[in-house]
Amino acid sequence: MTDPTNVHPVRTVRVGDRSADIDEMLAPLVEALWRNGFQTFTSCQDAGESNADWVDLLPHMAAYVESRKGWAFIDLPIQDGLRFLTAVAQAGPRDAFYVRMTHWAAPHAWDVSVKPMDLAMFDETIASSFAMRLMQVCFPVSDLPEIHRRIDRYEAGELVPPSATDWTTVGRR
């Protein structure tokens, strides 16, 4: 399916009474997240591709757009974002993938951010009022199959016991 407002092909995902057109590569993961009770706001299978046209209007965004090529993201309410990270971590070994998702200095480290948002951005008639609402989890597209495998294991209750981690890629022994 093609959505004229979306750069990427989409697939309609339905779980219970929820339904949305989701980028094709992320649709299976979002479906699994919804089945497991996670809420999502938005997602994108390649933020660099989706935002490439920004550079024409906003030249200062060129470095950002270039840095996001090959990177996907999922936006979740903060508590669901924390549960998502916990589920992914607990459903697999503490391997190089785990180090990427947990440590900012790892090669190809995930970018997880929570930023305050002024509610007046959405209703300019109200006074500014900042709140913490959204966690964005941005990861290399190449990590998508492992994220999905781990969410499937989480759903099946197949959690992996804690173990030692090789932190040498981030300078820890």
Side-chain angles (χ1 to χ4, degrees), residues 51-132:
N51 299 313
D53 62 348
W54 282 10
V55 180
D56 297 334
L57 182 61
L58 306 168
H60 67 279
M61 294 300 294
Y64 172 84
V65 168
E66 187 61 32
S67 74
R68 291 297 136 188
K69 288 181 181 172
W71 286 73
F73 69 82
I74 299 176
D75 293 336
L76 308 103
I78 294 170
Q79 287 306 311
D80 282 17
L82 295 171
R83 284 189 325 109
F84 167 73
L85 294 171
T86 298
V88 172
Q90 289 183 355
R94 290 185 176 166
D95 55 5
F97 173 91
Y98 170 81
V99 174
R100 267 194 311 285
M101 71 171 283
T102 60
H103 199 288
W104 63 272
H108 307 289
W110 290 18
D111 181 11
V112 179
S113 60
V114 176
K115 296 182 178 155
M117 181 183 315
D118 187 356
L119 302 178
M121 290 172 52
F122 307 101
D123 180 354
E124 294 179 346
T125 66
I126 66 172
S128 287
S129 177
F130 283 79
M132 301 297 274

Side-chain angles (χ1 to χ4, degrees), residues 138-161:
C138 191
F139 50 86
V141 170
S142 57
D143 279 351
L144 191 54
E146 181 62 14
I147 295 168
H148 197 189
R149 272 192 294 281
R150 288 182 182 217
I151 290 298
D152 286 347
R153 283 189 221 133
Y154 170 80
E155 183 174 17
E158 298 171 4
L159 304 184
V160 175

